[in-house]
Amino acid sequence: MEVGKSAIRVDAADKVSGGAKYTDDLIPRPHLVAKLLHADIANGVVRAIHTQEAARLPGVVKIVTCFDVPDIQYPTPGHPWSTETAHQDVSDRKLLETRVRYYGDDIAAVVAEDEVSAQRALKAIRVEYEEYEPLLTTQAATAEGARPIHDERPNNVLASMDLRTPMPESDFKTVEDVLACPAYHQFEGHYQTQMVQHCHIEPAVSYAYMEGGKIVVVSSTQIPHIVRRVCGQALGIPWGDIRVIKPYIGGGFGNKQEVLYEPLNAFLTRAVGGRCVKLELTREEVFQNTRSRHAISFDVKAAVDGDGNLMARWVKAVSNQGSYASHGHAIVANAVTGFRQLYLDQLGCHAEACTVYTNLPAPGAMRGYGIPQGDFAGECMMEDIARKFGLDPYEFRLRNIMPLGYVDPFNGITCHSTGLRECMEKGAEFIHWKELREKYQNQTGPVRRGVGMAVFSYKTGVWPISLETASARMVLNQDGSVQLQLGATEIGQGGDTVFSQMAAESIGFPLERVHIVSFQDTDTAPFDTGAYASRQTYVTGMAIKQTGEIFREKLLRYASEMLERPTAELDVRNGEIVDAATGEQVLRMYDLAQESFYSFRRTEHIAAESTHQCKDNTFAFGACFAEVEVDIPLGKVKVLRVVNVHDSGKLINPKLAEAQVHGGMSMGLGYALSEEMKFDAKGRLLNGNLLDYKLPTAMDQPDLTALFVETDDPTGPFGNKALGEPPAIPVAPAVRNAVLHATGVAVNDLPLSPQKLVEKFTQAGLIHNGR
Amino acid sequence: MEILKCTVNGRPAELGVDPRESLADTLRERLGLTSVKKGCEVGECGACTVLVDGVAIDSCIYLAVWAQGKSILTVEGLRDPDTGELSDIQKAFVEEAAVQCGFCTPGIIMSAVEIVGSGKQYTREELRKLISGHLCRCTGYENILNAVERAVNTAHGFVGKES
């Protein structure tokens, strides 16, 4: 069995020795360099750009302004395209903009012989603006008389939704009736999350050149086939005239599930006659000009009966979309849907969500896609309800969690397998939940401890909200090994390794005889929409399994010809042809391959390629438990122990799964305690660098424990379900709930930074006269 | 242009550099040592860490001309020159699954070389401090710490046997 083994990463040796090549490592030298001119107002219009002086500077090759680009608005999110207009992504961005919508918006680009020349030219460009008042909050942007940020949305509301689950027969007609019923415990709350950044260590970078009449874009992206489509759309040229190559990438976390500057890069190479142009963002530009996680505000209500059954919930979420639609409403829609799905309301759930344009940098996809926000609101709410009505927070959750067989009333996504209860049990046992909940109950003094928990559910891929399709290709090499080619992308998560394991398993080969082609080239790689939605081991996995079976059949047919025996008597095991009944080797794969390539009798270049359109989905689950120590006068939270327990179905590679969970937990700890993008009143980002933006270092966290409950999901190609994004989801609410347990203070907005905690503890009377 | 003479990965190098140029740029652009990664170019992330005379430095904020006469080591210089085998530290990173996207990896490995080279034993807390100049978003540092710990232990085990 190759699946289920902790195989060593197929790219590890290259990555520890400098052999692995990333975008900037591959660029032909010398090359031209592009730099962007960013607006220094947050809201307004560019009236004129004076570039004459800049254009005369040495080394400057070309200056392109917002008045020179095609009048084409295009979409940027890494979603599968839809052939139905109504389901297509919002197209609200041009290559460069005359209408400035956030501080830092792109208004011109300089192409120069080198970076210094480009920077000097940027400084020599003069811009005349008509400036408007910045609308930075959703309240300001939706206030009476607020100026539209996009003409297509005069009220600055990108989209809204209102979903009511069908109600069973009862005295209650609506969720609101239940929430007004005095027979139930009634709860109301408000929770708010902040804007954070992905902080992949490789900045956004691409380079582009022309060859054979095509524009070639080499980019650090999670979604090469989508980048090709959007470059074509943005430039108004046939999609086949674009070729996208994706090398190794230094992290993405959703930021590179977005078409960032590839279309502009493609445009710029064409503007300089196809010469190679590099467009690499600085770290400060990555913060200001690429995507982030949405700040979402949640208002919630819940009704609970005397036994602790959730009778009904209402949630209203308002998402600050910043200046461009990007993934748009999909994220807050996911947030309230995840909020609803995790627990079963006896009577009903009413979810409202709204996405508002403002003059901030546009957030987009980030690991968890709205669920970390929705889970923060939901899991704070569950804790607060339990506290208010004297319920045990563990038992209260357990009583109400999504049952096996649950079917979502709107999208039909079904709970095919669940290990959530077991995840909770395992986590509680690890942290000594009961013992510590009791032990830390009545503390005094400035330093106090607490334990908290949170759970989550997460769907696998995007079906049926969107298309799920993947292809795989397998080609027999002359030595009897196989090449595996995919459009699915390795982005650091270990995709290439688990794809190779799945291919080996489905063909009957040992792992070392599977050679995966890591880089994607859209001219040759099979189609796949790419790395997002924790979809690839599930959706691409199905394509690999199916293609492996076809490939195996072809090997057996050729073997049957050579051996003059029926295929039914033969099998592929451990990479050789064996007698199916006895397991005895009857033909070496090497000999089969040599014959198939070089035989005078009949050559056949054995290969298989197939598409799998996935029309299913399934829920992954998990729980986080955290033990914290709070220094009240300092407002400092020290996480003493933290554990995530995941049900992601069968693990393809347990060691890599564990490693991926560690990374998500760390991201969750940063979300809980330190990370926040801060803006001034002009909409200018104040901490857009890795010094002032507090990404956790090795000193900021304890050892991270990742545990698993392996269910065998009937829909997963190997019993597996989503894993990539989930680890980042439950950590922030678990830490917040632990701080509540330690101090009795409920902090309802993230992050739990020292400044904020000191204010809250002072309000709560835990700090007197600053002590 | 100035002439820079130094040793890079054990071999003498002599090349023309711009006096304003960072050592990271020299190593990447002029010598093709692309393991030296640039994540911030202002000394915040640690991805460009190399050893200069055995000391880990951020090569993005270290002028190339400062390396005059010095010995520079990058991960390209860690494999056994004869067999091509990975060093014990590299193997520890591979086997502990300490590598994910791999972008911060070469820099952290160079710090690990410095740590192991000190000949001292460290607690896990001390190791946390020693690698805290490196930012990693994939691993939560957990397996990186395991790998560094293992590399230190392997080195000491070996030293112990010899003495």
Side-chain angles (χ1 to χ4, degrees), chain B residues 72-83:
Chain B
I72 298 155
L73 188 64
T74 72
V75 290
E76 283 92 342
L78 294 183
R79 281 181 188 263
D80 184 291
D82 299 323
T83 63

Side-chain angles (χ1 to χ4, degrees), chain A residues 590-758:
Chain A
Y590 177 83
D591 295 328
L592 183 153
Q594 289 278 309
E595 179 84 0
S596 73
F597 274 91
Y598 305 119
S599 165
F600 273 33
R601 181 184 58 82
R602 188 180 81 83
T603 59
E604 180 187 343
H605 303 155
I606 296 173
E609 178 165 358
S610 76
T611 300
H612 187 90
Q613 183 165 3
C614 168
K615 294 189 177 179
D616 214 332
N617 202 320
T618 191
F619 289 105
F621 298 94
C624 175
F625 289 78
E627 181 186 6
V628 301
E629 185 176 272
V630 187
D631 186 323
I632 292 170
L634 290 179
K636 180 96 183 119
V637 177
K638 186 176 179 192
V639 179
L640 301 174
R641 290 187 305 145
V642 59
V643 60
N644 264 29
V645 193
H646 288 266
D647 163 24
S648 289
K650 288 281 177 194
L651 301 176
I652 309 298
N653 185 318
K655 184 93 178 165
L656 294 190
E658 191 185 26
Q660 206 170 14
V661 173
H662 295 151
M665 291 174 75
S666 175
M667 194 176 264
L669 289 172
Y671 194 45
L673 296 172
S674 60
E675 294 182 39
E676 181 174 24
M677 293 169 74
K678 291 172 176 284
F679 297 88
D680 69 9
K682 290 180 167 179
R684 192 164 41 180
L685 181 60
L686 292 169
N687 59 341
N689 61 70
L690 293 172
L691 189 64
D692 297 315
Y693 180 90
K694 297 300 181 190
L695 174 67
T697 72
M699 289 182 75
D700 297 318
Q701 54 192 37
D703 274 319
L704 307 170
T705 304
L707 301 175
F708 295 94
V709 169
E710 288 193 67
T711 55
D712 189 353
D713 192 86
T715 68
F718 298 94
N720 55 301
K721 313 190 273 189
L723 175 63
E725 296 163 283
I729 297 169
V731 182
V735 169
R736 178 268 188 193
N737 292 339
V739 172
L740 170 59
H741 184 226
T743 64
V745 177
V747 183
N748 295 341
D749 52 325
L750 289 172
L752 277 66
S753 59
Q755 175 73 33
K756 185 183 293 167
L757 289 183
V758 167

Side-chain angles (χ1 to χ4, degrees), chain A residues 307-457:
Chain A
D307 295 331
N309 295 305
L310 270 179
M311 304 311 291
R313 287 175 298 160
W314 167 81
V315 56
K316 181 172 184 181
V318 180
S319 177
N320 187 329
Q321 182 53 55
S323 41
Y324 293 97
S326 175
H327 286 251
H329 193 59
I331 285 164
V332 71
N334 210 34
V336 296
T337 300
F339 175 96
R340 168 169 50 76
Q341 288 166 335
L342 178 56
Y343 296 105
L344 192 66
D345 301 277
Q346 299 297 316
L347 296 171
C349 184
H350 178 198
E352 296 176 65
C354 168
T355 298
V356 179
Y357 279 128
T358 66
N359 293 122
L360 287 178
M366 182 171 168
R367 194 178 200 170
Y369 210 80
I371 302 297
Q373 294 98 314
D375 200 61
F376 179 73
E379 286 301 273
C380 290
M381 184 193 80
M382 291 301 279
E383 194 72 24
D384 293 349
I385 292 173
R387 198 174 171 85
K388 185 171 176 187
F389 303 115
L391 304 165
D392 178 278
Y394 181 99
E395 297 298 332
F396 176 48
R397 284 181 174 87
L398 198 55
R399 178 179 277 273
N400 291 288
I401 52 175
M402 182 197 298
L404 182 68
Y406 165 81
V407 179
D408 185 287
F410 301 105
N411 55 38
I413 299 178
T414 301
C415 178
H416 295 294
S417 61
T418 175
L420 181 51
R421 168 191 286 268
E422 294 77 6
C423 289
M424 290 171 65
E425 286 166 1
K426 216 167 177 172
E429 192 188 350
F430 177 89
I431 211 90
H432 305 299
W433 175 256
K434 276 194 174 148
E435 185 192 324
L436 294 185
R437 284 296 287 193
E438 196 134 323
K439 185 177 168 191
Y440 295 151
Q441 224 167 20
N442 298 308
Q443 297 169 87
T444 53
V447 179
R448 300 181 198 175
R449 291 185 172 189
V451 285
M453 68 172 292
V455 301
F456 72 90
S457 66

Side-chain angles (χ1 to χ4, degrees), chain A residues 9 15-17 21-22 24-25 29 197-198 201 283 492 659 662-663 675 690 695-696 698 701 703-704, chain B residues 28-29 34 37-39 44 79 90 94 99-103 124 128 137-143:
Chain A
R9 284 183 75 106
K15 285 179 172 176
V16 297
S17 59
K21 298 299 177 193
Y22 300 73
D24 188 49
D25 304 341
R29 291 168 163 82
Q197 225 269 332
H198 313 71
I201 306 299
R283 177 56 59 181
H662 295 151
E675 294 182 39
L690 293 172
L695 174 67
Q701 54 192 37
D703 274 319
L704 307 170
Chain B
R28 287 184 61 81
E29 306 291 326
T34 54
K37 298 297 184 214
K38 298 200 292 188
E44 290 162 356
R79 281 181 188 263
Q90 290 170 305
V94 169
V99 178
Q100 290 192 38
C101 84
F103 207 77
R124 199 160 168 99
R128 285 188 182 278
R137 194 55 141 170
C138 298
T139 65
Y141 309 102
E142 190 66 26
N143 288 353

